[in-house]
Amino acid sequence: MFAYQLKKSTRRKTVAIKVHNQNVTVYAPHHVQKKVLDNWLLEKKSWVEAQLQKQLTLVDTKQYPLKDKKIWVFSEAINLTFQQGNTSTVERQQDGLLITVSARVKHQQQKYQLLLEAYLKEQLTAYIEMRLNDFCTLMQEALPNDLNIAVYKRKWGSCNSKRALTFNLLLIGAPHSIIDYVIVHELAHLRHLNHSKAFWQRVAQFCPDYKASTLWLKQHGMSLQWVF
């Protein structure tokens, strides 16, 4: 029997399995006994082992900027040059980005990461602000009250009842068309804070190929992730 992590909750009504990064997690109602879960999992053993094997054979497509000296920006591979200097700066050059860190900085690699992320956040913010204005006009929607950029592991954007939108910084590596889809997706949430039929109809109205975009994100989402 494979090892698994058990998470019980009084709010759950059904049992569920999650296999991620070679870890198996079982979510179950609080009243369900472990012996019952073990017997239930024996029936799922073949499926779980297949998922574990599948994850072992997945090709690692994540980005390693410090190691590979490159990063994807709007689906274009940008070369990175790291060096020490008098000040800490990021400069766009013809052949890529020059990231300079002051020799006085104690944690050099951490500073390289912070500078690079700040530059990428600036680039993504500028693009999203421009396209938000375009799509709000097209969708006859008022501009959101707030715009934030953050790093998420499992979502590309979010919208709340205060009309604040947040976008995943990792989108900076995606094609413009994919970013546009995520923008439309979140703008549609301003009227529908759910994934109802009406929500998807509004998305389709302004992004007819949204299904292709969601598929692209599922297939290439890992390639947008960074490891420093």
Side-chain angles (χ1 to χ4, degrees):
M1 184 68 175
F2 49 81
Y4 66 90
Q5 181 182 8
L6 177 59
K7 292 187 177 182
K8 286 190 174 184
S9 171
T10 54
R11 297 182 179 181
R12 289 201 65 89
K13 295 182 179 180
T14 59
V15 179
I17 309 174
K18 180 179 180 180
V19 182
H20 181 69
N21 289 338
Q22 291 295 293
N23 294 314
V24 180
T25 304
V26 176
Y27 300 88
H30 192 269
H31 66 273
V32 179
Q33 297 180 355
K34 189 174 184 300
K35 182 178 179 180
V36 174
L37 290 173
D38 287 341
N39 291 333
W40 181 76
L41 284 169
L42 280 175
E43 300 178 4
K44 307 293 182 181
K45 181 179 178 182
S46 297
W47 180 86
V48 173
E49 291 179 342
Q51 298 306 307
L52 291 170
Q53 184 60 38
K54 181 179 179 180
Q55 290 184 9
L56 280 174
T57 58
L58 284 176
V59 177
D60 184 5
T61 60
K62 293 189 291 291
Q63 301 176 63
Y64 294 82
L66 295 178
K67 175 185 175 183
D68 298 333
K69 304 295 190 297
K70 71 175 182 179
I71 197 164
W72 290 92
V73 178
F74 299 128
S75 75
E76 178 186 358
I78 301 297
N79 294 321
L80 302 175
T81 301
F82 301 101
Q83 69 176 29
Q84 288 188 344
N86 296 325
T87 59
S88 298
T89 60
V90 179
E91 297 180 31
R92 183 65 191 260
Q93 299 184 327
Q94 187 173 2
D95 60 345
L97 294 177
L98 172 62
I99 304 176
T100 305
V101 169
S102 170
R104 298 187 297 273
V105 175
K106 184 176 181 180
H107 301 290
Q108 296 278 314
Q109 289 195 347
Q110 184 178 16
K111 187 63 175 180
Y112 284 136
Q113 177 182 348
L114 291 174
L115 286 171
L116 178 58
E117 289 184 343
Y119 173 84
L120 297 174
K121 182 177 181 180
E122 181 182 278
Q123 297 300 306
L124 183 62
T125 300
Y127 179 79
I128 289 179
E129 285 180 341
M130 176 186 69
R131 297 301 281 157
L132 275 175
N133 186 68
D134 294 340
F135 281 117
C136 282
T137 299
L138 182 65
M139 299 169 72
Q140 297 184 323
E141 184 70 62
L143 286 167
N145 293 335
D146 197 13
L147 168 63
N148 300 289
I149 305 294
V151 176
Y152 292 129
K153 288 185 177 181
R154 294 184 177 88
K155 59 182 177 181
W156 300 110
S158 66
C159 172
N160 63 30
S161 59
K162 296 181 180 180
R163 296 180 58 85
L165 303 187
T166 303
F167 295 91
N168 193 331
L169 178 57
L170 299 181
L171 283 169
I172 187 66
H176 290 112
S177 61
I178 300 301
I179 303 173
D180 287 351
Y181 155 68
V182 179
I183 292 172
V184 170
H185 184 113
E186 299 310 325
L187 284 175
H189 277 313
L190 291 176
R191 296 193 184 186
H192 308 282
L193 273 176
N194 50 46
H195 288 99
S196 62
K197 182 178 179 180
F199 165 81
W200 286 113
Q201 286 176 339
R202 184 156 175 78
V203 171
Q205 183 180 355
F206 300 100
C207 186
D209 60 345
Y210 76 90
K211 290 184 178 180
S213 296
T214 57
L215 180 60
W216 190 97
L217 286 169
K218 288 180 180 179
Q219 294 177 336
H220 301 280
M222 182 186 291
S223 69
L224 301 180
Q225 298 179 31
W226 311 320
V227 178
F228 286 95

